């Protein structure tokens, strides 16, 4: 798949394909304790089970956003920014790019879940208008934390 480059603010946001998997996995390991396997990334991208936007700075992948689209609903699956590049608006630029794409595709609703203690991510999602609609108890296998479920009318 060819990268489609789009400039969002000062950030270079591109659509990632299977050719980016090794960079994606390296970035993911700086952001999260659990990791998707190479096979999960490859099959998901090939079968369009999910899509991934990336942000490049200085020729390096420094942020990514994985999402799925089912009928008129979008779900954020993962959002990560390299620790050295946080608080520069990259997470927000990725989310704004996704929301713009959703509007173009007439997707009506956005969903996501987030750990209750993940204050940076919660602040980001709430700043974009997501509102809390529920809680799933002990949802995350690694920490047994509750998931807070968020919803956005796009
Ligand atoms: C959550 C995450 C993606 C945010 O990425 P980021 O590029 O640093 O976020 P941005 O710079 O775009 O921040 C946008 C807004 O989010 C909020 N925010 C982001 N990080 C924050 C923090 N550490 N504390 C408080 N608010 C924060 C702020 O409102 C910020 O706006 P401001 O900088 O004007 O105050 C990043 O911290 C990360 O990768 N965390 C580890 C992985 C993770 O938890 N992902 C979310 C899974 S649901």
């Amino acid at each position: 798949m060819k990268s489609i480059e789009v400039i969002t603010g000062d950030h270079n946001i591109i659509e990632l394909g299977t050719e980016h998997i090794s960079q994606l996995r390296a970035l993911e390991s700086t952001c999260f304790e659990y990791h998707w396997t190479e096979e999960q990334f490859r099959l998901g991208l090939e079968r369009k089970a999910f899509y991934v936007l990336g942000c490049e700075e200085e020729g390096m992948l420094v942020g990514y956003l994985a999402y799925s689209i089912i009928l008129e609903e979008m779900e954020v699956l993962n959002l990560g920014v390299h620790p050295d590049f946080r608080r520069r608006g990259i997470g927000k630029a990725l989310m704004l790019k996704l929301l713009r794409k959703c509007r173009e595709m007439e997707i009506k609703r956005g969903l996501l879940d987030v750990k209750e203690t993940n204050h940076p991510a919660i602040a980001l999602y709430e700043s974009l208008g997501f509102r809390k609609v529920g809680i799933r108890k002990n949802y995350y296998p690694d920490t047994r934390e509750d998931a807070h479920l968020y919803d956005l009318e796009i």
Side-chain angles (χ1 to χ4, degrees), residues 37-98:
T37 63
E38 180 165 352
E39 188 73 349
Q40 282 171 313
F41 271 119
R42 194 177 57 73
L43 286 178
L45 286 164
E46 279 176 2
R47 295 176 181 173
K48 300 192 189 310
F50 57 77
Y51 306 87
V52 187
L53 292 174
C55 177
E56 283 185 339
E57 301 266 332
E58 301 155 23
M60 187 179 134
L61 187 68
V62 296
Y64 78 104
L65 167 54
Y67 63 97
S68 63
I69 297 213
I70 298 176
L71 300 175
E72 293 184 337
E73 273 184 10
M74 170 277 284
E75 182 170 358
V76 174
L77 303 178
N78 244 341
L79 170 67
V81 173
H82 189 289
D84 296 345
F85 289 81
R86 288 183 189 159
R87 294 312 290 266
R88 299 187 192 184
I90 293 172
K92 193 166 195 166
L94 284 161
M95 287 295 297
L96 287 173
K97 172 65 188 160
L98 172 58

